[in-house]
Amino acid sequence: MLSVLLAAVGLAAGLPKALLKGSIPSQLQSPGGLSAPLVRFIGLAELAAAAGLLAGLYWQPVGVAAALGFAAVLIGAVGFHAKSGDYTNPETRGNAMAPAILTLIAIAAAVTLGLAS
């Protein structure tokens, strides 16, 4: 169940970044932010994680690797939000908490899949 939830999140978060469409990619590319190729790479990594999490429903080692890879991407997002000061700003703190919470869920998914194999 965690894998399906994370795959949906990876798809929803990764597609706009990979296509460089919508408000999130433009916010990430704001002055002093990330380059367009890096935003696209992050989006593709999130889409790959989503595919791997779904494949992991049938072959657990792939799901474990995808969950850990997604956790690594999310840890990068936590660092980005910390560097941007989003955790100290009450207006941006709520959105910035999503990658932190999802990191814990991705690690839980990896552990769950690892124990299932």
Side-chain angles (χ1 to χ4, degrees), residues 42 45-46 49 64-79 99 102-104 106-107:
I42 292 167
E46 290 170 340
V64 172
L68 292 174
F70 197 25
V73 170
L74 291 165
I75 288 169
V78 169
L102 289 169
T103 299
L104 297 175
I107 292 169

Side-chain angles (χ1 to χ4, degrees), residues 12-95:
L15 196 57
K17 291 175 195 152
L19 298 174
L20 297 177
K21 303 279 185 196
S23 63
I24 299 297
S26 60
Q27 288 173 3
L28 292 172
Q29 296 175 71
S30 64
L34 305 177
S35 68
L38 182 55
V39 172
R40 180 169 277 139
F41 175 78
I42 292 167
L44 291 172
E46 290 170 340
L47 291 174
L53 285 161
L54 293 176
L57 296 173
Y58 302 98
W59 192 33
Q60 283 85 2
V62 172
V64 172
L68 292 174
F70 197 25
V73 170
L74 291 165
I75 288 169
V78 169
F80 177 82
H81 285 292
K83 181 180 174 190
S84 299
D86 291 338
Y87 295 113
T88 57
N89 182 345
E91 294 178 13
T92 58
R93 185 178 303 134
N95 288 338

